[in-house]
Amino acid sequence: MKNYVLISLFLLCGMVGFTSCVYTPIKGYNGNSKIDPQYLDFWYRQQILPAYAGYLSQVKRLDEMAGELEKYPEKLVELKRQYEAAFLSLQDLIIFDQPYFVGELYGLYAVSARFPVNKTQLEDAVRNRYSVEDLSERLDRGVLSPNALGYAALDYLLYSDRVDLTGETGREYLSFFPALTRLLVKQAEAVYASYEKGGDNFVRNDDFSVGGSLNVVLNLLMSNFEAHIRTAKVGIPVGIYGVSVHQPEPMTVEAYYHGEGLSTRLLVRSVQAFQRFYDGYPYGASSAKNGALSFATMLGEYLPPSKRTEILQKMEQVFTALHAELDDETADLARLAETPEGTEKLKRVYAELQKVVGILKTEVVSALGLTVTYSDGEEGD
């Protein structure tokens, strides 16, 4: 699968607190040269950072269970449940992902949840009994692809009928699980540590420049929505991305071997994460909405009056349409992509996801006087 998102260094500078970035403050449409830092503080400390902390907690629990498998193989059922919980939790930070690993080529999502699985490299890693250090080093050198590890590998090992985890033949596989899960923990810890240190710098960068935090956040939202939600979750499986139509590839859906609707729940959770950020919900299932500091409220304050109502209404219409298509859907995305009716449904979902891209990338960026700092390699956005 090609590298869909090449995000410029501006993103990394803005989010993790590099102080060497130089930029010149410019003014938004209404003469403001800065965004109210209360927005930035709320987004960072109550939405972004807690999402990474929540995921780290889930993946640590997954690692604990994996470490008990060899001694207690019967805990495999619990491990499968935690695999789902951790993978779903990863969706909560999908829109904030940024280049961090392997020469700043992969973000946390791309390095841990890249599908479809590379079975050849995975089987080779199992056979050679690579440790977490071996896996990390080989990944950094480009010898191992991310889709030979992470959730793609766990999905294949846990749910593929090609892998027997029972009896003596399963011991080799069971002993490899901790290496996979510890690498997930190691990656999550590294990114969380960077975000934990970057809060003050993020709030200080409060102007409308390319290196300002507003521009950084908007580019992260757009680039990750395009790459990980629109294209990877729906576009490639159904055979549509950019202006091109391709052969459908149902096997590329996330959690393909799991089936049973997990890939659909991952899509729904990722869209919910985007909407919760947009609407101003602090991280956490039971958190109360803080509409006063939401991304939507910020748009209402800083968009030109001539554009404000139209853009906000369009966003709400997209959310309504996505809820109508997905809220009651239980079938797995791979199964949907294999039938004419399911394919038509996914095409409608893709069209709504593409509207989000269009609204943010062509209307919001222009109206706020901001800059798109990445290219996704696709035409027609």
Side-chain angles (χ1 to χ4, degrees):
M1 193 181 296
K2 66 179 180 178
N3 178 33
Y4 295 103
V5 185
L6 300 174
I7 306 178
S8 76
L9 184 59
F10 287 122
L11 297 183
L12 198 59
C13 293
M15 294 296 283
V16 302
F18 286 3
T19 58
S20 59
C21 292
V22 178
Y23 53 85
T24 302
I26 59 176
K27 295 184 178 181
Y29 90 92
N30 57 4
N32 288 325
S33 60
K34 295 179 181 294
I35 181 176
D36 187 336
Q38 290 185 86
Y39 286 117
L40 301 177
D41 188 82
F42 174 72
W43 299 345
Y44 200 96
R45 303 189 198 282
Q46 296 194 49
Q47 294 184 298
I48 298 175
L49 187 61
Y52 279 91
Y55 171 65
L56 179 58
S57 175
Q58 291 287 353
V59 81
K60 281 183 174 180
R61 180 62 183 141
L62 180 69
D63 184 48
E64 290 174 7
M65 292 182 176
E68 299 173 341
L69 268 186
E70 268 200 286
K71 188 174 182 181
Y72 305 106
E74 66 274 12
K75 292 197 173 185
L76 191 61
V77 174
E78 294 179 36
L79 181 73
K80 288 182 176 181
R81 284 198 293 264
Q82 187 58 30
Y83 160 83
E84 294 182 24
F87 203 176
L88 286 165
S89 178
L90 183 61
Q91 310 308 307
D92 296 335
L93 54 84
I94 191 171
I95 55 174
F96 312 121
D97 202 22
Q98 62 175 311
Y100 190 89
F101 300 98
V102 195
E104 295 167 13
L105 178 62
Y106 301 118
L108 181 60
Y109 199 89
V111 82
S112 57
R114 200 171 181 87
F115 286 78
V117 64
N118 188 323
K119 295 186 287 287
T120 301
Q121 289 189 0
L122 171 58
E123 293 285 1
D124 182 67
V126 173
R127 196 164 43 249
N128 286 287
R129 300 181 180 180
Y130 289 145
S131 66
V132 63
E133 291 77 20
D134 295 327
L135 295 177
S136 182
E137 185 268 338
R138 293 175 74 81
L139 179 64
D140 288 341
R141 289 195 293 115
V143 178
L144 268 179
S145 171
N147 63 338
L149 307 168
Y151 291 94
L154 290 171
D155 176 55
Y156 179 74
L157 294 178
L158 288 171
Y159 299 100
S160 169
D161 57 8
R162 304 177 191 181
V163 178
D164 182 8
L165 297 177
T166 63
E168 195 62 35
T169 58
R171 287 196 171 275
E172 189 175 39
Y173 290 106
L174 293 177
S175 65
F176 186 66
F177 274 97
L180 288 173
T181 56
R182 283 170 197 157
L183 182 59
L184 289 174
V185 172
K186 179 180 178 180
Q187 292 163 343
E189 286 178 334
V191 177
Y192 178 73
S194 290
Y195 271 91
E196 197 173 29
K197 293 182 290 187
D200 290 344
N201 191 59
F202 180 84
V203 175
R204 280 196 299 267
N205 289 347
D206 57 356
D207 61 43
F208 283 77
S209 70
V210 173
S213 293
L214 175 58
N215 200 71
V216 169
V217 165
L218 186 53
N219 274 274
L220 287 175
L221 293 179
M222 295 187 299
S223 61
N224 287 310
F225 197 92
E226 288 185 33
H228 300 315
I229 300 177
R230 179 202 66 180
T231 299
K233 292 182 186 296
V234 180
I236 293 175
V238 81
I240 301 175
Y241 37 98
V243 296
S244 303
V245 177
H246 301 262
Q247 184 70 24
E249 300 179 59
M251 286 192 68
T252 64
V253 302
E254 296 171 336
Y256 174 81
Y257 291 102
H258 180 288
E260 299 182 7
L262 179 57
S263 62
T264 303
R265 296 198 299 276
L266 294 168
L267 170 61
V268 170
R269 179 76 166 254
S270 67
V271 173
Q272 288 174 341
F274 176 82
Q275 186 175 7
R276 287 178 65 83
F277 173 77
Y278 179 86
D279 285 340
Y281 285 91
Y283 179 78
S286 60
S287 59
K289 179 178 177 179
N290 185 348
L293 294 175
S294 70
F295 194 82
T297 299
M298 181 280 298
L299 292 179
E301 180 176 350
Y302 291 97
L303 284 171
S306 60
K307 300 283 186 180
R308 181 183 304 152
T309 300
E310 180 184 3
I311 289 175
L312 293 176
Q313 285 181 346
K314 283 182 179 179
M315 288 297 295
E316 291 303 322
Q317 288 166 0
V318 169
F319 288 135
T320 299
L322 286 171
H323 281 296
E325 293 288 355
L326 294 173
D327 280 359
D328 297 323
E329 185 57 67
T330 58
D332 199 76
L333 293 181
R335 306 292 86 78
L336 290 173
E338 292 172 342
T339 67
E341 297 82 3
T343 297
E344 288 305 310
K345 183 184 188 70
L346 291 180
K347 286 180 179 178
R348 293 194 300 271
V349 171
Y350 183 91
E352 295 302 326
L353 297 175
Q354 178 59 27
K355 289 178 185 178
V356 175
V357 174
I359 295 167
L360 295 179
K361 201 170 186 179
T362 62
E363 298 186 52
V364 171
V365 167
S366 174
L368 291 178
L370 300 174
T371 304
V372 177
T373 59
Y374 72 97
S375 171
D376 71 346
E378 295 185 21
E379 299 177 355
D381 288 342

